[in-house]
Amino acid sequence: MQNLLFSFQGRVNRAKYWLVHVVMWIVVAAVFAAIFGSAAMSSDPQAMLQSVGAIGGIILLVVYVLALWIGLAVAAKRWHDRNKSAWWILIAVVPVVGALWYLIECGFLKGTTGPNKFGPDPLGI
């Protein structure tokens, strides 16, 4: 599990890619909801931030950085499964087209069959 979530080496198939991202964002949403609670319904942003406090802010920052790291690690492995460098993650920075390209490549297209320069086939075929 540690290798899947924190390492940038190896390959991962589409199912694990989607599973990690869905679970990760459910956890992030639950933490944000627990910390902000009913304060998120406030129309005054300053009052909302004051209700969170320093400890809540630190927790939110840690959760956000952890989610970012996990997302980047799994995305790098998904690009490796497509037999491309992890630098392709940066395609998502290109407005509209980049995000769509990223979604199609990582989320819907099949990875390289058999071993490639990044490791063995994660499906084991």
Side-chain angles (χ1 to χ4, degrees):
M1 187 61 78
Q2 182 178 1
N3 185 41
L4 172 67
L5 299 178
F6 299 106
S7 169
F8 284 79
Q9 297 175 347
R11 295 169 62 181
V12 70
N13 61 20
R14 286 175 288 182
K16 284 183 184 174
Y17 171 82
W18 282 110
L19 180 66
V20 167
H21 276 80
V22 167
V23 169
M24 178 180 61
W25 290 113
I26 289 172
V27 169
V28 167
V31 169
F32 273 58
I35 290 175
F36 279 109
S38 61
M41 302 304 272
S42 172
S43 61
D44 183 15
Q46 189 168 1
M48 182 175 66
L49 290 175
Q50 286 176 346
S51 70
V52 171
I55 301 297
I58 292 170
I59 292 170
L60 290 175
L61 179 64
V62 168
V63 168
Y64 178 75
V65 169
L66 192 61
L68 180 65
W69 185 271
I70 291 170
L72 288 173
V74 174
K77 290 182 200 155
R78 186 67 193 124
W79 281 108
H80 289 169
D81 192 40
R82 299 276 306 137
N83 204 21
K84 296 182 179 184
S85 168
W87 286 104
W88 275 92
I89 291 172
L90 295 176
I91 193 73
V93 176
V94 177
V96 182
V97 175
L100 186 59
W101 186 325
Y102 176 87
L103 177 66
I104 292 169
E105 283 266 355
C106 289
F108 299 110
L109 296 180
K110 185 178 183 217
T112 306
T113 303
N116 66 18
K117 65 182 178 181
F118 298 105
D121 191 343
L123 295 176
I125 297 173

